[in-house]
């Protein structure tokens, strides 16, 4: 049976876990998810450094102050060091390696959250571009409709023989434009 852990620390971690679950549940839109992923990346960094601090103060230099903590790289090197003959127990070496893996996993979570955020950003950009394209197409259609309406009104004042010749000439011109641009060109 193991010793009871500090109840205050346990209560703080339980509150943090509940809050994190609540925050995830409050995400109701792609924009919310983007903000969550951005913050999750920062949280993963905090977890990584928190585990390093805990490893330093509890495994490598018991009770040492954090201001004397070596660099992250040095802490991880100390955690990865091979057992020293009879001084280290295999369980201790396994724990050091597992703690080192937790630190690496937190770093991977940070990278994964950042990657998911970037993928979401590209999707937001695509949706924005699609929306802008649809608005432009709608504005172009309105302009074409107005232009064709004006042409039709102008043709309506011509004598009927001239109307037919003008419509045929406009049809050839629109066909030529369509061929050159490959675009859909309305017909009068």
């Amino acid at each position: 049976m193991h010793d009871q852990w500090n109840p205050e620390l346990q209560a703080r971690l339980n509150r943090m876990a509940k809050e994190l679950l609540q925050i995830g549940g409050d995400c109701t839109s792609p924009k919310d998810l983007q903000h969550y992923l951005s913050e999750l990346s920062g949280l993963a960094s905090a977890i990584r450094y928190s585990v390093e601090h805990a490893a330093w103060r509890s495994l490598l230099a018991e009770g040492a102050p954090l201001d004397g903590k070596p660099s992250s790289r040095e802490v991880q090197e100390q955690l990865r060091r091979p057992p020293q003959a009879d001084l280290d127990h295999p369980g201790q070496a396994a724990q050091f390696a597992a703690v080192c893996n937790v630190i690496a996993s937190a770093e991977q979570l940070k990278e994964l959250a950042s990657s998911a955020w970037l993928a979401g950003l590209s999707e937001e950009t695509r949706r924005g571009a699609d929306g802008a394209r649809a608005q432009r197409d709608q504005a172009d259609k309105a302009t074409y409709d107005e232009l064709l309406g004006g042409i039709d009104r102008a043709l309506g004042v011509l004598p009927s023989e001239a109307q037919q010749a003008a419509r045929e000439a406009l049809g050839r011109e629109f066909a030529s434009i369509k061929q050159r641009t490959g675009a859909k060109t309305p017909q009068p």
Side-chain angles (χ1 to χ4, degrees), residues 83 89-99 101:
H89 187 276
Q92 181 184 28
Q95 183 184 22
F96 280 26
V99 168
N101 287 339

Side-chain angles (χ1 to χ4, degrees), residues 15 19 23 28 37 47 86 106 110 144 148 176 179-180:
R15 283 191 305 270
E19 182 66 19
I23 291 168
T28 59
L37 290 170
I47 290 170
D86 294 330
K110 175 184 183 263
Y144 284 137
L148 291 175
S176 174
Q179 187 177 22
R180 282 195 317 269

